[in-house]
Amino acid sequence: PPVVVGSPYGYGGGYYDPTPGIALNLGLSAVSSISNGMREARQNDMIYQERAELQAAREREADMAARIRELERMQMQQGGNSSSGQAPVVYVQPPMAQQQVVPSQ
C-alpha cells in the first residue's frame, strides 16, 4: 500500500510514489509506439509504391513482348512472300558488361 505523508501545513495529504520512473517509462513507451507506427506507415507506403512500380514494369514488359511477337509475325509474312531464301534477321541485345573489382594494395 502507498505510504501517506502528512503535510506540515495542515492541508491535504500527499501520497509517496515509490516508483517515480513509471510515468517517465509510460511516456517514453508512448513516444516509442508512435514512432514505430510512423515507421510502419512509411514502410507500408514504400511497399505499396514498389508494388505499383512492379505492376507497371510487368505491363510494359507484356506490351514489349506483344510488339516483338507482332514484328516477328510481320517478318515471317514478308519472308514467306519473297523467294530469296534468306533467313530472317534476329537482333540480340548484347549482355551487360560486368565491372571488374581490382583489389586495393
Side-chain angles (χ1 to χ4, degrees), residues 20-58:
I22 286 181
L24 178 62
N25 286 338
L26 289 174
L28 291 176
S29 177
V31 169
S32 177
S33 294
I34 291 170
S35 66
N36 286 343
M38 291 171 62
R39 181 177 52 245
E40 185 176 343
R42 275 194 315 272
Q43 289 174 346
N44 287 340
D45 287 343
M46 289 174 58
I47 290 170
Y48 176 78
Q49 182 179 0
E50 289 175 2
R51 285 182 178 168
E53 290 172 0
L54 178 61
Q55 183 63 29
R58 286 179 177 164

Side-chain angles (χ1 to χ4, degrees), residues 67-78:
R67 290 174 66 187
I68 289 172
R69 283 192 302 272
E70 181 65 21
L71 287 171
E72 288 173 345
R73 185 185 61 77
M74 290 172 54
Q75 282 183 345
M76 294 302 281
Q77 286 178 350
Q78 289 175 354

